[in-house]
Amino acid sequence: MTRGEKTELVIRLQEEFKNSEIVVVCNYKGLSTKKLEDLRNNARENGVKVQIIKNTLASLALDQAGKSGLELKDTNIYLWGDDQLNVSKVASKFEDDNDLFNIKTAFMDGEVSDVSKIKALAKMPSRNELLAMLLQVWNAPITNFVVGLNALKEKKEKES
């Protein structure tokens, strides 16, 4: 990679990191190409970006994006996106399915976060799941009222 390509990569990553809500750093050492491709496909479906970046270039891009403080060592793969929940769920699910993949750290909410915070975030229901739960709560009284009216109607029909 030439110096100009590296500069372009850092500028592009800086913009993407600046606009993202979360950046998760994971260890992928020992994973096969097939497994990494599975991670990329799953991430793409959920609107998460995934890339293996040299630590020096990633560190420059993160610092320029105002997301400094991450300790970058060894082999790292980076996951980032606009939705903290989606990124956390993709990383956590892939970690659960693959022994060689480990979440190291993340930058979210303006600070460096540890693995436990990412795991807790991954267990939360998504926006669509929360909306479905809310609709069930709102529909329960109406459903019960209709069932009650139907039972009353059947009772009156049996009496007459």
Side-chain angles (χ1 to χ4, degrees):
M1 190 176 250
T2 66
R3 186 178 186 111
E5 291 172 331
K6 290 178 183 178
T7 304
E8 289 176 17
L9 176 66
V10 168
I11 291 170
R12 182 180 59 82
L13 289 172
Q14 176 216 345
E15 286 300 315
E16 290 184 13
F17 288 159
K18 187 184 289 184
N19 296 329
S20 66
E21 291 289 318
I22 184 172
V23 177
V24 179
V25 181
C26 305
N27 179 23
Y28 72 96
K29 191 172 187 174
L31 278 178
S32 67
T33 306
K34 172 77 171 110
K35 293 284 185 183
L36 287 174
E37 205 53 43
D38 292 342
L39 171 64
R40 286 187 175 106
N41 291 337
N42 187 20
R44 194 176 303 116
E45 290 172 5
N46 290 295
V48 177
K49 295 183 180 179
V50 177
Q51 189 169 350
I52 297 171
I53 311 164
K54 291 185 86 168
N55 290 336
T56 53
L57 299 176
S59 181
L60 281 171
L62 285 165
D63 288 343
Q64 291 174 6
K67 298 183 179 191
S68 57
L70 291 172
E71 290 185 31
L72 306 176
K73 297 178 185 172
D74 301 324
T75 56
N76 294 319
I77 189 166
Y78 299 82
L79 289 82
W80 69 93
D82 298 336
D83 187 3
Q84 291 179 353
L85 201 60
N86 279 348
V87 176
S88 298
K89 284 182 184 262
V90 167
S92 184
K93 183 177 184 326
F94 196 76
E95 182 182 40
D96 292 343
D97 295 343
N98 298 284
D99 295 335
L100 299 173
F101 185 85
N102 298 46
I103 299 171
K104 290 181 175 180
T105 186
F107 191 94
M108 57 193 244
D109 298 329
E111 64 184 20
V112 177
S113 301
D114 60 351
V115 177
S116 61
K117 190 171 183 181
I118 297 165
K119 292 280 190 182
L121 191 60
K123 291 178 183 174
M124 291 179 62
S126 69
R127 181 179 187 275
N128 290 340
E129 292 168 339
L130 287 172
L131 288 173
M133 288 180 207
L134 183 62
L135 285 175
Q136 285 177 336
V137 169
W138 283 348
N139 283 337
I142 296 168
T143 304
N144 291 338
F145 181 71
V146 170
V147 168
L149 282 178
N150 195 26
L152 182 64
K153 179 184 125 188
E154 289 175 4
K155 182 180 175 187
K156 293 288 185 182
E157 287 175 353
K158 284 182 183 177
E159 288 177 357
S160 43

